[in-house]
Amino acid sequence: MTSLKPKTTQTMKPATAAKKLGVLLSATPAEFQEGVVSRSELNELQASPPEWLADLRRNGPHPKQVVAAKLGVSVSGLTRGGITGPLTTAEIDALKSENPAWLEHERSIQAEVRKEALRLKQR
C-alpha cells in the first residue's frame, strides 16, 4: 500500500526565479536575491507583478536573452556584435534606431534560421 506523504512545497533559487520572470537577478531587491521562491510565489509574481518587477520588465536592465529577443537576434549574435552585458530598454531602443551593420546582419541570419525551422517543421 502507498502511504500518504504530506505535499512538500516546491522552491527554487532566486536565480532560477529571476530567469523565469525574465529579469536580471542583480537588479532585483535584496530580499528577493537572498530568499527562496516557491512555485506559488512565482505564480503570484507572474499574475500580479509588484512595482519593482513591473519597472524592471519595462525599463531593465534586461538579461541577454531578453535583449536578444527585443532586438530579434540570437544570444550568440549579441556576442558577435560586441554586446556582452545587460542593456536597459533605452539602450535597446537606441540600438534599434541606429541599426548598426552587425545588427542588420544578425537579424538576417535569425530570419534565415526561422525560415529553415519552419520549412523543416512543415515536412
Side-chain angles (χ1 to χ4, degrees):
M1 289 203 189
T2 60
S3 62
L4 295 175
K5 294 181 183 175
K7 190 171 183 175
T8 58
T9 304
Q10 236 183 350
T11 59
M12 61 192 82
K13 294 177 183 176
T16 305
K19 189 172 186 175
K20 289 181 181 283
L21 292 169
V23 296
L24 195 63
L25 178 62
S26 60
T28 61
E31 60 270 8
F32 181 86
Q33 293 179 31
E34 295 164 2
V36 293
V37 180
S38 71
R39 175 68 63 185
S40 59
E41 289 171 333
L42 178 69
N43 291 340
E44 179 63 29
L45 286 170
Q46 289 173 327
S48 57
E51 186 58 37
W52 65 265
L53 180 56
D55 186 49
L56 274 178
R57 286 179 169 169
R58 187 174 37 254
N59 301 320
H62 303 287
K64 285 190 289 187
Q65 298 84 350
V66 175
V67 173
K70 287 180 178 268
L71 291 174
V73 299
S74 66
V75 174
S76 299
L78 280 180
T79 304
R80 285 190 294 269
I83 308 294
T84 56
L87 296 178
T88 63
T89 301
E91 292 168 326
I92 293 169
D93 291 342
L95 259 177
K96 283 181 180 178
S97 65
E98 287 172 18
N99 200 21
W102 71 265
L103 181 58
E104 204 170 305
H105 176 71
E106 291 299 333
R107 282 181 171 167
S108 68
I109 291 173
Q110 192 69 8
E112 287 298 318
V113 168
R114 287 187 183 122
K115 193 163 61 171
E116 180 65 11
L118 182 62
R119 185 188 71 79
L120 291 174
K121 187 177 180 182
Q122 291 175 345
R123 286 179 115 186

